[in-house]
């Protein structure tokens, strides 16, 4: 008789150990059978995420937050969005991990071990706003290809590391330096080791700012694997694609860095406004630098109901790329009139700010609360969509929540 073999006791108990609970009818599993709990890695467990985070893509992993999950002043790991262009590196050996500084404009190629980086240079901790350049893309029409982020590809965690400037100065920068370019350990989706999923960077001015870090900690602990363990660049206020994860090498370039996703339409927007759907010539596109002014209502959740006559406390965060937010307002009449919110100063440069207000409603019914931030240059968020662009970047339209007064 050709009987199929059942799973061995030892195999069963090791699978149960991974799942973390007894498999009640496990004896009935056929040898080689993979229980679903193992087959389909659960991203929430795998990355330690809040169950309400939204998975946009699993190859590669792209996961965003909902507004109310971002209510904390410092974004916890469980609600920090994940944006990967390639495959997360496996089998990282921190003892062997090194950071190389090279390029046309370095005086001498230098290699640092993690220990050297940590012991040789002073540590700094800053709260830094990281927002994907494509956050808000889902609203553009005609639609743009790419992850259909709604509002949740932003966070402001606490990052600890050494200043990129201190490391570059230690290596020696030539006077013809123009740009930095990062190289990382993640694998291209094709698994071709000669291709990089992404290799971006920043002009020297941004690279040499006080707050531009080579970070090894997020929120006081080792950076989680999904966010770039053991080392990443963090350049707050700029598209988060500048902040290279799993950092292995930084080149000091004598020209604008020309790595993957620095060319073509990637992270570029038209220099002048264009009509929706219009084809834009390459020379009319410019690389995105500082992100535009934006805000998010993180409390209450959209759809909340309050009693007639009660005031509604709202709160959230606002940020403005390299600038600060100067003014924060809300509207309950679809943007006809605006009232001022209380607004805090940032804890440090490039950290988001917090706003709050007590909102009164004239009578029962349906309302929308809209929030609008204005930066120190006097630029405010657009009420609806900003200028259309081919790749759907920089949607900083006012965030809004629905409220019923009963
Ligand atoms: N090595 C590497 N660095 C990377 C990426 C990547 O795919 N690989 N994605 C970039 C993009 S597009 C964004 S928006 C941020 C996301 O950072 P997070 O996943 O820690 O939130 O990382 C940036 N750094
Ligand atoms: Mo991004």
């Amino acid at each position: 008789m050709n009987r199929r073999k059942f799973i061995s006791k030892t195999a069963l108990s090791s699978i149960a150990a991974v799942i973390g609970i007894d498999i009640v009818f496990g004896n009935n599993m056929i040898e080689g059978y993979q229980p679903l709990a193992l087959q389909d890695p659960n991203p929430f467990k795998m990355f330690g995420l809040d169950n309400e985070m939204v998975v946009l893509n699993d190859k590669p992993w792209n996961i965003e937050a909902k507004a109310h999950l971002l209510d904390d002043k410092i974004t916890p790991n469980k609600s920090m969005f994940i944006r990967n262009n390639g495959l997360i590196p496996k089998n990282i050996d921190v003892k062997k991990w090194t950071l190389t500084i090279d390029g046309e404009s370095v005086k001498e190629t230098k290699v640092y071990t993690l220990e050297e980086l940590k012991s040789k240079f002073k540590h700094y901790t800053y709260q830094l706003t990281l927002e994907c350049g494509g956050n808000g893309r889902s609203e553009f029409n005609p639609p743009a290809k790419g992850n259909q982020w709604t509002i949740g590809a932003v966070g402001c965690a606490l990052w600890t590391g050494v200043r990129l400037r201190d490391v570059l100065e230690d290596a020696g920068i030539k006077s013809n330096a123009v740009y930095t370019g990062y190289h990382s350990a993640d694998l291209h989706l094709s698994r071709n080791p000669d291709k990089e999923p992404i290799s971006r960077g920043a002009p020297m001015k941004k690279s040499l700012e006080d707050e531009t870090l080579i970070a090894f900690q997020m929120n006081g602990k080792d950076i989680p694997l999904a966010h770039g363990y053991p080392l990443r660049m963090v350049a707050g206020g700029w598209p988060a694609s500048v902040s290279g994860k799993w950092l292995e090498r930084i080149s000091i370039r004598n020209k604008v860095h020309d790595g993957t996703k620095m060319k073509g339409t990637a992270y570029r927007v038209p220099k002048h406004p264009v009509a929706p759907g219009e084809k834009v010539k390459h020379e009319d596109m410019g690389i995105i630098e500082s992100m535009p002014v934006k805000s998010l209502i993180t409390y209450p959740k959209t759809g909340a109901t309050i009693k007639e006559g009660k005031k509604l406390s709202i709160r959230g965060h606002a940020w403005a790329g390299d600038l600060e937010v100067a003014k924060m307002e809300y509207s309950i009449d679809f943007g006809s009139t605006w009232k001022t919110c209380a607004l805090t100063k940032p804890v440090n440069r490039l950290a988001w700010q917090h706003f709050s207000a007590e909102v009164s409603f004239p009578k029962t019914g349906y309302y929308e609360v809209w929030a609008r931030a204005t930066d120190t240059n006097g630029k405010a968020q657009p009420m609806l969509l900003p200028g259309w662009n081919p790749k759907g970047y920089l949607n900083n339209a006012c965030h809004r929540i629905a409220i019923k007064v009963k």
Side-chain angles (χ1 to χ4, degrees), residues 28-47:
N28 297 342
M29 292 197 313
I30 288 152
E31 193 181 61
Y33 178 78
Q34 274 234 325
L36 291 176
L38 296 189
Q39 254 177 43
D40 190 17
N42 175 333
F44 305 102
K45 251 196 190 162
M46 197 159 64
F47 301 124

Side-chain angles (χ1 to χ4, degrees), residues 81-83 85 132 184 186 198 227 232 240 243 245 267:
F81 77 101
I82 296 174
R83 197 302 186 228
N85 290 265
C132 180
S184 304
D186 47 344
I198 187 166
H227 296 294
R232 85 175 290 178
S243 296
K245 306 193 275 188
Y267 300 101

Side-chain angles (χ1 to χ4, degrees), residues 256-323:
V256 174
H257 182 54
D258 53 0
T260 307
K261 308 241 164 164
M262 285 299 295
K263 292 174 284 192
T265 50
Y267 300 101
R268 285 175 197 249
V269 288
K271 291 176 189 162
H272 312 291
V274 299
E278 198 175 311
K279 281 235 157 65
V280 190
K281 286 198 217 109
H282 183 70
E283 61 264 34
D284 294 332
M285 301 278 278
I287 299 173
I288 301 169
E289 300 200 328
S290 173
M291 293 290 286
V293 62
K294 198 162 170 179
S295 61
L296 204 54
I297 305 167
T298 59
Y299 183 89
K301 243 192 217 189
T302 186
T305 301
I306 62 153
K307 280 207 179 114
E308 188 184 5
K310 277 250 163 84
K311 280 194 176 182
L312 175 72
S313 299
I314 62 162
R315 61 173 182 259
H317 317 293
W319 60 99
D322 278 340
L323 301 174

Side-chain angles (χ1 to χ4, degrees), residues 158-406:
L158 206 57
W159 296 95
T160 301
V162 297
R163 283 185 173 149
L164 175 58
R165 181 179 68 215
D166 291 348
V167 178
L168 297 189
E169 277 172 0
D170 185 69
I173 309 166
K174 287 191 195 164
S175 59
N176 64 351
V178 170
Y179 226 89
T180 54
Y182 67 74
H183 299 276
S184 304
D186 47 344
L187 193 62
H188 192 268
L189 286 177
S190 65
R191 294 181 186 270
N192 177 349
D194 298 330
K195 285 190 177 170
E196 288 178 294
I198 187 166
S199 168
R200 306 198 69 241
M204 291 317 292
K205 184 170 183 289
K206 180 70 180 172
S207 301
L208 300 180
E209 269 178 6
D210 284 357
E211 299 83 5
T212 302
L213 299 180
I214 299 175
F216 39 79
Q217 285 193 343
M218 174 181 176
N219 291 330
K221 296 210 169 101
D222 283 351
I223 299 175
L225 180 61
H227 296 294
Y229 177 79
L231 210 58
R232 85 175 290 178
M233 210 172 127
V234 187
W238 282 39
S241 53
V242 173
S243 296
K245 306 193 275 188
W246 311 292
L247 185 66
E248 288 185 318
R249 180 158 67 91
I250 293 179
S251 299
I252 313 181
R253 309 297 314 268
N254 64 0
K255 57 179 177 189
V256 174
H257 182 54
D258 53 0
T260 307
K261 308 241 164 164
M262 285 299 295
K263 292 174 284 192
T265 50
Y267 300 101
R268 285 175 197 249
V269 288
K271 291 176 189 162
H272 312 291
V274 299
E278 198 175 311
K279 281 235 157 65
V280 190
K281 286 198 217 109
H282 183 70
E283 61 264 34
D284 294 332
M285 301 278 278
I287 299 173
I288 301 169
E289 300 200 328
S290 173
M291 293 290 286
V293 62
K294 198 162 170 179
S295 61
L296 204 54
I297 305 167
T298 59
Y299 183 89
K301 243 192 217 189
T302 186
T305 301
I306 62 153
K307 280 207 179 114
E308 188 184 5
K310 277 250 163 84
K311 280 194 176 182
L312 175 72
S313 299
I314 62 162
R315 61 173 182 259
H317 317 293
W319 60 99
D322 278 340
L323 301 174
E324 247 179 57
V325 178
K327 185 168 71 175
M328 191 67 216
E329 297 159 298
Y330 72 90
S331 173
I332 59 165
D333 55 10
F334 301 96
S336 292
T337 61
W338 294 87
K339 288 202 166 101
T340 308
C341 301
L343 176 69
T344 66
K345 280 276 181 191
V347 287
N348 53 253
R349 199 176 154 254
L350 311 181
W352 64 17
Q353 295 160 249
H354 316 294
F355 67 85
S356 58
E358 299 289 315
V359 183
S360 326
F361 300 92
K363 56 179 175 182
T364 58
Y366 173 85
Y367 295 87
E368 289 186 8
V369 179
W370 292 18
R372 179 171 75 178
T374 304
D375 70 22
T376 41
N377 281 349
K379 264 202 180 174
Q381 290 181 257
M383 279 190 251
L384 297 172
L385 276 177
W388 180 91
N389 63 89
K391 293 291 284 279
Y393 295 122
L394 309 186
N395 178 1
N396 66 335
C398 289
H399 182 226
R400 58 210 85 141
I401 57 169
I403 298 293
K404 278 184 195 151
V405 180
K406 280 191 169 158

